[in-house]
Coordinates of all heavy atoms in Angstrom, one line a residue:
Chain A
G723 N -9.8 25.1 39.9 CA -9.9 23.7 39.7 C -10.6 23.3 38.4 O -10.7 22.2 38.0
G725 N -9.7 24.4 35.5 CA -8.7 24.5 34.3 C -8.7 25.8 33.6 O -8.2 25.9 32.5
T728 N -5.5 27.4 32.2 CA -5.0 27.1 30.8 C -5.6 28.0 29.8 O -4.9 28.6 28.9 CB -5.3 25.6 30.5 OG1 -4.7 24.9 31.5 CG2 -4.7 25.2 29.2
S752 N -6.9 30.1 48.2 CA -6.0 29.1 48.8 C -6.8 27.8 49.0 O -7.1 27.4 50.2 CB -5.5 29.7 50.2 OG -4.8 28.7 50.9
N753 N -7.2 27.2 47.9 CA -7.7 25.8 48.0 C -7.5 25.2 46.6 O -6.9 25.8 45.7 CB -9.1 25.8 48.5 CG -10.1 25.9 47.4 OD1 -9.8 26.5 46.4 ND2 -11.2 25.3 47.5
A755 N -10.0 23.4 44.6 CA -11.0 23.4 43.6 C -12.3 24.0 44.2 O -12.6 23.7 45.4 CB -11.3 22.0 43.0
K838 N -17.0 21.1 32.7 CA -16.7 22.3 33.3 C -15.4 22.9 32.8 O -15.1 24.0 32.8 CB -16.8 22.2 34.9 CG -15.6 21.4 35.5 CD -15.7 21.4 37.0 CE -14.6 20.6 37.6 NZ -14.5 20.5 39.0
Y839 N -14.6 21.9 32.4 CA -13.3 22.3 31.8 C -13.5 22.9 30.4 O -13.0 24.0 30.1 CB -12.3 21.1 31.8 CG -11.1 21.4 31.0 CD1 -10.0 22.1 31.6 CD2 -10.9 21.0 29.7 CE1 -8.9 22.4 31.0 CE2 -9.7 21.3 29.0 CZ -8.7 22.0 29.6 OH -7.6 22.3 29.0
A874 N -5.5 16.1 23.6 CA -5.9 17.3 24.3 C -6.0 18.5 23.3 O -7.0 19.3 23.4 CB -4.8 17.6 25.4
Y934 N 10.9 23.0 51.3 CA 9.7 22.5 51.9 C 8.6 23.2 51.1 O 8.6 24.4 51.1 CB 9.6 22.7 53.4 CG 8.4 22.0 54.0 CD1 8.5 20.6 54.2 CD2 7.3 22.6 54.4 CE1 7.4 19.9 54.7 CE2 6.2 22.0 54.9 CZ 6.3 20.6 55.1 OH 5.2 19.9 55.6
E944 N 9.8 23.4 42.2 CA 9.4 22.4 41.2 C 10.0 22.7 39.9 O 10.4 21.8 39.1 CB 7.8 22.4 41.1 CG 7.3 21.6 42.3 CD 5.9 21.8 42.7 OE1 5.3 22.8 42.2 OE2 5.3 20.9 43.4
K951 N 16.5 18.0 36.2 CA 16.4 16.7 35.6 C 16.8 16.7 34.1 O 17.3 15.7 33.6 CB 15.0 16.1 35.8 CG 14.8 15.6 37.3 CD 13.7 14.6 37.3 CE 12.4 15.0 36.6 NZ 11.2 14.3 37.0
Q968 N 13.5 17.3 49.4 CA 12.3 17.8 50.0 C 12.4 17.6 51.5 O 12.4 16.4 52.0 CB 11.0 17.2 49.5 CG 9.8 17.9 50.0 CD 8.5 17.3 49.5 OE1 8.3 17.1 48.3 NE2 7.6 16.9 50.4
E970 N 11.8 17.9 55.7 CA 10.6 17.6 56.5 C 10.0 18.9 57.0 O 8.8 18.9 57.3 CB 10.9 16.7 57.7 CG 12.0 17.2 58.7 CD 13.4 16.8 58.3 OE1 13.7 16.7 57.0 OE2 14.2 16.7 59.2
D971 N 10.7 20.0 57.0 CA 10.1 21.3 57.3 C 11.2 22.4 57.0 O 12.3 22.0 56.5 CB 9.6 21.4 58.8 CG 10.8 21.3 59.8 OD1 12.0 21.4 59.4 OD2 10.4 21.2 61.0
Chain D
T1315 N -15.1 23.3 51.1 CA -14.4 23.9 50.0 C -13.3 22.9 49.5 O -12.4 23.3 48.7 CB -13.7 25.2 50.3 OG1 -12.7 25.0 51.3 CG2 -14.7 26.2 50.8
K1354 N -8.2 22.0 57.1 CA -9.3 22.9 56.8 C -10.7 22.3 57.3 O -11.6 23.1 57.5 CB -9.4 23.2 55.3 CG -8.4 24.2 54.8 CD -8.7 24.5 53.4 CE -7.8 25.7 53.0 NZ -8.5 26.5 51.9
H1370 N 1.2 25.0 60.7 CA 1.5 23.7 60.0 C 2.3 22.8 61.0 O 3.4 23.1 61.3 CB 2.2 24.0 58.7 CG 2.3 22.9 57.8 ND1 1.4 21.8 57.8 CD2 3.3 22.6 56.9 CE1 1.8 21.0 56.8 NE2 2.9 21.4 56.3
I1401 N 6.4 17.7 58.7 CA 6.8 18.8 59.6 C 6.4 18.6 61.0 O 7.1 19.0 62.0 CB 6.1 20.1 59.1 CG1 6.7 21.4 59.8 CG2 4.6 20.1 59.2 CD1 6.3 22.7 59.1
Y1426 N 0.9 16.1 49.9 CA 0.5 17.4 50.4 C -0.6 17.9 49.4 O -0.3 18.4 48.3 CB 1.6 18.4 50.3 CG 2.8 18.1 51.2 CD1 3.9 18.9 51.1 CD2 2.8 17.1 52.2 CE1 5.0 18.7 52.0 CE2 3.9 16.9 53.0 CZ 5.0 17.7 52.9 OH 6.0 17.5 53.7
Q1432 N 2.9 17.3 46.4 CA 4.2 16.7 46.7 C 4.1 15.6 47.7 O 3.1 15.4 48.3 CB 5.1 17.8 47.4 CG 5.3 19.1 46.5 CD 4.2 20.1 46.7 OE1 3.3 19.8 47.5 NE2 4.2 21.2 46.0
F1433 N 5.1 14.7 47.7 CA 5.0 13.6 48.7 C 5.0 14.0 50.1 O 5.8 14.9 50.5 CB 6.2 12.7 48.4 CG 6.2 12.0 47.1 CD1 7.3 12.1 46.3 CD2 5.1 11.2 46.8 CE1 7.2 11.5 45.0 CE2 5.1 10.5 45.6 CZ 6.2 10.7 44.7
N1445 N 4.8 14.9 37.9 CA 6.0 15.4 37.2 C 7.0 14.4 37.1 O 8.2 14.6 36.8 CB 6.5 16.7 37.9 CG 7.0 16.4 39.3 OD1 6.9 15.3 39.8 ND2 7.6 17.4 39.9
P1523 N -7.3 13.8 28.5 CA -7.2 14.4 27.2 C -6.9 15.9 27.3 O -6.8 16.6 26.3 CB -8.6 14.2 26.6 CG -9.5 14.1 27.8 CD -8.7 13.6 28.9
L1524 N -6.9 16.4 28.5 CA -6.8 17.8 28.7 C -5.4 18.3 28.8 O -5.0 19.5 28.5 CB -7.6 18.2 30.0 CG -9.0 17.7 29.9 CD1 -9.6 18.0 31.3 CD2 -9.8 18.3 28.8
D1526 N -3.9 19.2 31.4 CA -4.1 20.4 32.2 C -3.9 20.1 33.7 O -4.8 19.5 34.3 CB -5.5 21.0 31.9 CG -5.6 22.4 32.6 OD1 -4.9 22.7 33.5 OD2 -6.4 23.1 32.1
H1528 N -4.3 22.2 35.9 CA -5.1 23.1 36.7 C -6.6 22.6 36.8 O -7.4 23.2 37.4 CB -5.1 24.5 36.2 CG -3.8 25.0 36.0 ND1 -3.0 25.4 37.1 CD2 -3.0 25.2 34.9 CE1 -1.8 25.8 36.7 NE2 -1.8 25.7 35.4
F1529 N -6.8 21.4 36.3 CA -8.2 20.9 36.2 C -8.3 19.8 37.2 O -7.6 18.8 37.2 CB -8.5 20.4 34.8 CG -9.8 19.8 34.7 CD1 -11.0 20.5 35.0 CD2 -10.0 18.5 34.3 CE1 -12.2 20.0 34.9 CE2 -11.2 17.9 34.3 CZ -12.4 18.6 34.5
I1530 N -9.3 19.9 38.1 CA -9.6 18.9 39.1 C -11.0 18.4 38.8 O -12.0 19.0 39.1 CB -9.5 19.5 40.5 CG1 -8.3 20.4 40.7 CG2 -9.6 18.4 41.5 CD1 -7.0 19.7 40.7
S1532 N -14.5 16.3 39.2 CA -15.3 16.0 40.4 C -15.5 14.5 40.4 O -15.8 13.9 39.4 CB -16.6 16.6 40.4 OG -16.5 18.0 40.3

Side-chain angles (χ1 to χ4, degrees):
Chain A
T728 305
S752 172
N753 89 328
K838 69 176 179 183
Y839 172 79
Y934 189 74
E944 283 160 343
K951 282 202 313 194
Q968 188 182 306
E970 60 271 30
D971 64 13
Chain D
T1315 63
K1354 284 182 167 213
H1370 192 28
I1401 191 171
Y1426 294 177
Q1432 303 84 2
F1433 293 122
N1445 65 358
L1524 306 174
D1526 186 337
H1528 305 289
F1529 175 62
I1530 313 292
S1532 300

